[in-house]
Amino acid sequence: MSNRTPRLTGLVRVIPDAEDLYDELGAVLVAAAQKAVRDRGVFHLALSGGSTPEPFYMRLVTEPAFRPLPWADTHLWLVDERRVPLDDERSNYLMIRQALADHVPTPEDQKHPVPVEEEDPAAAYEHTLRQAMGKMDDQVPRLDFVLLGMGDDGHTASLFPHSKALRENDRLIALNDGRCVTPPPRVTMTYTLLNAARHLAVLVTGAKKAQTVRRIEAQLRNGPDPVELPITGIDPIDGTLTWYLDAAAAGL
Ligand code: 6PG
């Protein structure tokens, strides 16, 4: 336990109650979405799986304050996916579909599950992303808003400690598997794509994560170490990074 907000890269918001935390994150998301649509006519949103964001996704579709979200002008992307069929209970898209995507008026061709059954789902997803974002050359497209989570081992997206996708600098999407990856094999956005985003938000709740948050804080005093703690490699080039922690995750 500590009595102060953890110092992490970017802005850290600690909001004791998870529901209030979702409300603040949701309000920031609404503002970013509306600005994106005003400025560029479209909102590119990338969502994480795992268990943490599920209640937030459900709140986004039920809470009246979030009705202004411009779902019809939104493209929904997956930060990462497990290489299992899309109806497998481990599929991130299954959770996102059931909690959110099935309940919003986003056109079907703007919902982008990872094509896990393809021989090279990473290359295929990168192609779809570049096509939708109009960046078919080598330029890195800028996602408008990316929601990340954090694992107990300090992974984010499917960038696991010591895994090969950490070293992927040329591609926007990578396959990640092998000894250092929690099965099943994964498809993940790379640092190259994530750090180019306009807004990155990391949502972490629950006492189980508090020790990792403090470990990250200690590491960051000496600088990032993405190999041991991949989330320390999240550092936007020209965007914002905000952590959303409840009191338990902040160790307060
Ligand atoms: C995944 C995620 C991953 C997740 C963390 C935290 O597919 O597993 O996208 O990066 O955010 O593992 O998971 P929990 O929210 O379940 O703790």
Side-chain angles (χ1 to χ4, degrees), residues 75-132:
H75 280 252
L76 285 178
W77 302 97
L78 272 276
V79 167
D80 66 325
E81 184 56 284
R82 294 102 188 260
R83 224 173 157 191
V84 294
L86 292 177
D87 58 0
D88 185 294
E89 61 174 21
R90 292 165 295 173
S91 161
N92 281 339
Y93 191 63
L94 179 66
M95 182 277 278
I96 291 170
R97 201 162 65 66
Q98 289 176 340
L100 181 145
D102 276 354
H103 313 288
V104 296
T106 300
E108 284 306 310
D109 64 352
Q110 292 171 205
K111 296 175 186 169
H112 304 286
V114 177
V116 279
E117 317 277 8
E118 296 252 347
E119 198 179 319
D120 187 345
Y125 206 46
E126 178 162 336
H127 183 81
T128 306
L129 184 89
R130 284 191 176 282
Q131 216 165 30

Side-chain angles (χ1 to χ4, degrees), residues 47-224:
L47 299 176
S48 285
S51 55
T52 307
E54 191 174 4
F56 173 62
Y57 297 156
M58 287 162 51
R59 204 167 170 86
L60 280 184
V61 298
T62 53
E63 171 60 43
F66 304 136
R67 283 204 193 120
L69 276 165
W71 291 115
D73 298 318
T74 297
H75 280 252
L76 285 178
W77 302 97
L78 272 276
V79 167
D80 66 325
E81 184 56 284
R82 294 102 188 260
R83 224 173 157 191
V84 294
L86 292 177
D87 58 0
D88 185 294
E89 61 174 21
R90 292 165 295 173
S91 161
N92 281 339
Y93 191 63
L94 179 66
M95 182 277 278
I96 291 170
R97 201 162 65 66
Q98 289 176 340
L100 181 145
D102 276 354
H103 313 288
V104 296
T106 300
E108 284 306 310
D109 64 352
Q110 292 171 205
K111 296 175 186 169
H112 304 286
V114 177
V116 279
E117 317 277 8
E118 296 252 347
E119 198 179 319
D120 187 345
Y125 206 46
E126 178 162 336
H127 183 81
T128 306
L129 184 89
R130 284 191 176 282
Q131 216 165 30
M133 298 191 73
K135 291 273 186 283
M136 291 313 282
D137 49 18
D138 283 345
Q139 273 179 290
V140 178
R142 298 193 73 187
L143 292 161
D144 292 303
F145 198 100
V146 179
L147 183 68
L148 296 171
M150 183 194 77
D152 301 348
D153 58 356
H155 82 262
T156 193
S158 281
L159 298 166
F160 288 88
H162 298 275
S163 65
K164 63 182 185 190
L166 299 175
R167 298 185 296 275
E168 181 55 75
N169 301 318
D170 296 333
R171 308 290 302 270
L172 307 178
I173 312 285
L175 291 175
N176 211 8
D177 57 12
R179 203 169 46 81
C180 302
V181 173
T182 307
R186 313 290 182 118
V187 181
T188 184
M189 291 188 172
T190 61
Y191 288 128
T192 304
L193 178 60
L194 294 170
N195 284 332
R198 290 191 169 83
H199 300 287
L200 289 150
V202 187
L203 176 64
V204 188
T205 57
K208 214 169 131 256
K209 302 281 171 76
Q211 209 183 346
T212 310
V213 170
R214 293 295 166 181
R215 211 177 130 209
I216 290 162
E217 178 182 40
Q219 177 58 52
L220 286 171
R221 276 187 222 117
N222 301 318

